[in-house]
Amino acid sequence: MIPNPWDVGTVRALEELGFQALATTSAGFAFSRGLPDAPDAVGVDEVLGHIAEIVDAAHVPVTADFQSGYGPDPESVAANVRRCVEVGVAGLSIEDAAGGGDLFELPEAVERVRAARDAIDSAAEDVLLTARAECFLVGHSEPLAESIRRLESYADAGADVLYAPGVGERDDIRAIVESARPKPVNVLMSANTGLSVADLAHLGVRRVSVGSALARAAWGAFLRAAREISRDGEFRGLEGAVTFAELNALFEAPHSH
């Protein structure tokens, strides 16, 4: 189970809860900067600075949400991946969605994954490469079949972990897991679909992340309370807020490893 913090405070909180690994979230970071989650909204230098901050704050392995590599071609993807590895990540993900919500054509997507693999191998040992097929998120007409086709190609290109964000049906998850073997599969849980971590493990899933979900949960509580103050002049939305004392104690305590 790899939750996704978006700043140093959320890193600290998740570590104190006992999670053994963390992953960045491009959306959570972008929203914190008042920007949309789009490849051209936040520059690669700013993204790398954020990833470095998360890595430096954490005492557990961190994998980076590196979108599609922040480059127009495999060579620039490789250069950016090398820079990402240099900040100390334990892994990173490369997705196959191009600008405008379209997918890269498969041969180009494979070359981008292969370029990331080669860059990792030339820069570090034991850095996991996760390849993402975005078919479910971009509205592909046959998302399951196309995800499987793409993930099998990405495995051949050197991906260590395979990931089709947006898959939610048990049978679809099981089909992806079976087609990916022996490579492990990551599943994104972005909402309460009724599936538990134990359910996913039973389906053969090896890794679970939540993407922007924790950030959106925080934004949800913030917006509900703020809208009620603005609209009604009421403060009911502040009920359930964590206490000042609890947060102060969390951040005053020695940071456990």
Side-chain angles (χ1 to χ4, degrees):
M1 185 66 232
I2 306 180
N4 305 71
W6 61 94
D7 59 16
V8 172
T10 50
V11 168
R12 181 77 176 270
L14 291 170
E15 285 196 351
E16 291 296 327
L17 288 169
F19 291 102
Q20 297 299 300
L22 303 172
T24 68
T25 160
S26 63
F29 175 56
F31 299 156
S32 76
R33 306 291 292 170
L35 296 167
D37 182 30
D40 57 352
V42 185
V44 67
D45 290 342
E46 191 172 4
V47 168
L48 287 167
H50 168 67
I51 293 170
E53 183 178 53
I54 298 297
V55 169
D56 289 346
H59 296 92
V60 298
V62 173
T63 187
D65 173 357
F66 211 49
Q67 294 210 338
S68 58
Y70 298 93
D73 51 52
E75 292 76 19
S76 56
V77 170
N80 290 333
V81 166
R82 280 191 290 271
R83 294 178 66 192
C84 188
V85 170
E86 287 169 0
V87 307
V89 295
L92 60 91
S93 62
I94 297 291
E95 62 191 53
D96 58 6
D102 297 321
L103 297 172
F104 287 107
E105 293 297 325
L106 184 55
E108 182 178 1
V110 168
E111 285 306 308
R112 295 169 72 88
V113 171
R114 185 172 289 116
R117 174 79 274 160
D118 292 344
I120 288 171
D121 290 344
S122 69
E125 296 180 356
D126 300 328
V127 173
L128 286 176
L129 174 60
T130 298
R132 295 175 38 150
E134 304 290 294
C135 309
F136 284 92
L137 298 186
V138 303
H140 192 278
S141 59
E142 296 183 2
L144 177 61
E146 184 64 14
S147 291
I148 289 173
R149 183 170 81 104
R150 285 174 172 260
L151 292 177
E152 289 175 344
S153 296
Y154 301 157
D156 291 340
D160 300 301
V161 180
L162 304 176
Y163 182 12
V167 63
E169 297 296 326
R170 289 173 185 261
D171 288 346
D172 291 349
I173 293 170
R174 188 180 291 108
I176 290 172
V177 168
E178 289 299 324
S179 70
R181 292 188 191 280
K183 296 291 178 83
V185 167
N186 185 95
V187 165
L188 171 70
M189 293 302 293
S190 60
N192 181 16
T193 64
L195 290 172
S196 67
V197 173
D199 293 331
L200 293 166
H202 183 70
L203 293 170
V205 174
R206 296 287 298 280
R207 197 172 85 174
V208 182
S209 57
V210 297
S212 66
L214 287 174
R216 290 185 290 105
W219 276 102
F222 169 82
L223 288 172
R224 281 191 297 274
R227 284 169 176 157
E228 191 166 76
I229 295 169
S230 173
R231 183 185 61 235
D232 304 326
E234 299 286 348
F235 302 96
R236 293 183 299 269
L238 301 181
E239 295 175 6
V242 63
T243 67
F244 177 89
E246 183 177 345
L247 284 176
N248 235 27
L250 172 64
F251 297 126
E252 285 177 347
H255 196 179
S256 61
H257 288 241

